[in-house]
Amino acid sequence: APSITTMTSAATVRRCPSLSERTSPAFTMTAATKILAITSSSFLLIFSFTALQADAFTAISPKTSTSHHHNHHCHVKPALKLHATTTTSTTSSTTLSTRIPINESYPGLQKVHTNPDIYIISHFLSPTACNDLISRARLKGTQRSPVAYAGWTDDIKDLLGLAASGPVSWGAILGAWYEAQGDESANAVLNLVLHALRNYSVLLVVAGILIAGYTKVRADGLQELRTSTSTTLDDLSDSGGGGDGSGVKEFVLRSADLFGPPLSLSSDDDVLSSPASYFEAPTVINYEKDQALAPHYDANRSASVEDANRGGQTLSTLLVYLNDVERGGTTKFGKLPAITSSSSSNDDNNNNNNNDEEDIIQRQVIGDPNLNIIPRKGDALLFFPADKYGKFDERTEHEGCPAVDEKWIARIWRHEGRVPPPFGLSDACIREYC
């Protein structure tokens, strides 16, 4: 949510005991000015609350959601997002740094969009690994996918700042002025200040309680934006999948090969030297008919505070489609244009031949003006929600369109720092398998 600053002028209330009648008109004019300020500040506060309802945690509430059985078009429309108005200047190509490096020669790597970089990786996982991941998820059992209210700390700070500079300040001043009426003592000015400070403290506490309650209600309501089920898999052993080998291990190891070692190592710890130490444990997500995930971001503008216990900012998202999906279930980037022949080959690092390029173009929903990827079993989708320094990139907003046919995906988030258990893999697991 944007930071809204309310400009208010300092108000000084003067009392002159010997000229009290003459000062009454001045008090009346001041009160009118204050009432006007309170009204305008209150409207700003209400607008901020209302606008925040439309702003996502990492997800934006859809206006409408319809699934069509005859094609892959996704009609989930994002509502007003205040992130966009405040981050445009900080997410342009001139202000964002480069993304984290990857293995540009990784087999099957095909760039489909430049700045922000988005890749499809053909045959990233074997059919056996895909089946094993689904089997393990079914055996473990899936639950309603969790939703995190990302940015809640900034929202509370912004709302408290707005309240403190507007309604709380003027309420404290007006209350103190009313209480001081008829006070002709020598301590009138001191009493006025004390009344104002007391009123300010009380009103600020009340505003804080109301804002905290609003934030809780909003966080609870965000769950409706995601209707899929999911589970995490952190067992890389070959047993437990009902098949040959471990799809979890294959997913983690191939992801480690794709990302390569971290940019810099601050210690000689063998765990930190493994790319897998920066991964969240693989998550398998299931979308049944009509289930979807509204437009959202994977990065968190408040990651330094809210995600400190899970490796900090999310620098990259790697999704693997575990089954072929004939209808629905596409992955749409609502702020990016569809793939064209020129856009898919307009970079020096693209080594795809013409057949690969044509295949990439056919992987999107035909007729959709935005980049909208059709799932294909074993293929991966790679993008970067933030630059290598953790700066949020609002252009990577994406959504899981409503499923018509059942869809299974597996996801790994690559963070800035070590992701400790239970969010990441254990030291023992990394040492044994990675």
Side-chain angles (χ1 to χ4, degrees):
S3 177
I4 304 175
T5 304
T6 304
M7 302 300 295
T8 58
S9 58
T12 302
V13 181
R14 296 184 177 89
R15 285 190 55 81
C16 181
S18 61
L19 297 173
S20 57
E21 291 82 8
R22 296 187 182 183
T23 56
S24 294
F27 279 120
T28 302
M29 292 298 292
T30 305
T33 304
K34 292 171 185 174
I35 291 171
L36 179 62
I38 292 172
T39 303
S40 60
S41 297
S42 299
F43 273 118
L44 285 174
L45 186 61
I46 293 170
F47 170 78
S48 182
F49 270 108
T50 304
L52 278 172
Q53 290 282 10
D55 184 18
F57 57 106
T58 52
I60 306 303
S61 176
K63 291 180 180 176
T64 60
S65 176
T66 59
S67 57
H68 293 260
H69 292 252
H70 58 278
N71 58 30
H72 284 275
H73 280 285
C74 179
H75 295 278
V76 177
K77 299 179 182 180
L80 171 68
K81 294 174 292 299
L82 299 182
H83 279 310
T85 62
T86 59
T87 57
T88 300
S89 62
T90 60
T91 54
S92 67
S93 59
T94 58
T95 56
L96 277 174
S97 182
T98 56
R99 57 168 173 79
I100 58 172
I102 60 171
N103 180 1
E104 302 284 350
S105 60
Y106 193 90
L109 185 70
Q110 301 167 310
K111 182 181 282 189
V112 298
H113 192 277
T114 300
N115 192 25
D117 291 349
I118 298 178
Y119 296 88
I120 288 178
I121 310 172
S122 301
H123 311 297
F124 185 78
L125 290 183
S126 66
T128 300
C130 292
N131 295 339
D132 182 69
L133 283 164
I134 294 175
S135 176
R136 288 172 184 257
R138 282 177 169 155
L139 286 173
K140 183 177 180 181
T142 60
Q143 297 179 338
R144 181 76 176 266
S145 298
V147 171
Y149 180 179
W152 64 270
T153 53
D154 280 355
D155 288 346
I156 288 179
K157 180 178 66 177
D158 292 342
L159 288 172
L160 277 176
L162 175 62
S165 61
V168 169
S169 295
W170 291 118
I173 292 172
L174 279 178
W177 170 72
Y178 178 79
E179 292 173 309
Q181 294 302 299
D183 186 355
E184 304 291 343
S185 68
N187 296 325
V189 174
L190 177 60
N191 291 337
L192 181 67
V193 172
L194 293 177
H195 287 316
L197 290 176
R198 182 200 61 195
N199 294 342
Y200 184 88
S201 300
V202 172
L203 291 174
L204 188 61
V205 169
V206 172
I209 293 173
L210 291 175
I211 290 171
Y214 162 77
T215 304
K216 177 63 168 60
V217 171
R218 182 180 176 227
D220 293 341
L222 290 173
Q223 182 62 61
E224 297 306 316
L225 302 177
R226 185 173 195 172
T227 54
S228 60
T229 59
S230 61
T231 189
T232 57
L233 301 175
D234 55 6
D235 181 5
L236 273 61
S237 66
D238 291 338
S239 61
D244 297 328
S246 169
V248 185
K249 181 171 68 175
E250 181 176 321
F251 188 20
V252 171
L253 292 181
R254 293 194 178 186
S255 300
D257 289 340
L258 172 65
F259 287 106
L263 288 175
S264 62
L265 297 175
S266 58
S267 72
D268 296 328
D269 191 323
D270 57 339
V271 171
L272 291 179
S273 67
S274 171
S277 66
Y278 297 80
F279 297 164
E280 283 198 30
T283 300
V284 176
I285 308 168
N286 177 222
Y287 293 86
E288 297 182 347
K289 179 177 171 56
D290 294 329
Q291 291 184 339
L293 175 56
H296 65 285
Y297 305 104
D298 286 351
N300 183 354
R301 58 194 171 87
S302 304
S304 60
V305 175
E306 297 171 14
D307 293 335
N309 64 336
R310 59 195 306 150
Q313 185 66 281
T314 303
L315 302 185
S316 182
T317 296
L318 180 64
L319 299 178
V320 180
Y321 301 108
L322 303 181
N323 68 318
D324 291 316
V325 180
E326 294 296 328
R327 300 173 299 171
T330 57
T331 305
K332 180 174 181 175
F333 292 84
K335 296 184 177 181
L336 302 179
I339 308 167
T340 64
S341 178
S342 59
S343 66
S344 63
S345 60
N346 188 26
D347 79 90
D348 297 334
N349 294 325
N350 192 340
N351 298 317
N352 307 320
N353 56 39
N354 291 334
N355 290 334
D356 288 337
E357 179 182 305
E358 195 64 30
D359 176 66
I360 287 294
I361 295 175
Q362 294 300 318
R363 290 292 307 280
Q364 67 181 335
V365 176
I366 304 302
D368 194 320
N370 297 114
L371 180 60
N372 199 353
I373 303 299
I374 300 172
R376 181 182 294 175
K377 184 174 182 175
D379 287 3
L381 179 66
L382 173 68
F383 57 96
F384 306 88
D387 68 15
K388 65 182 180 181
Y389 298 114
K391 186 176 292 185
F392 182 92
D393 190 345
E394 59 95 16
R395 299 171 299 175
T396 59
E397 177 198 79
H398 58 288
E399 63 186 285
C401 293
V404 178
D405 298 324
E406 185 178 28
K407 179 178 76 169
W408 288 86
I409 65 173
R411 182 196 69 211
I412 281 180
W413 275 332
R414 200 280 196 186
H415 285 264
E416 282 183 288
R418 166 74 168 121
V419 183
F423 306 108
L425 302 172
S426 67
D427 290 0
C429 179
I430 293 174
R431 290 191 176 100
E432 181 175 358
Y433 296 106
C434 305

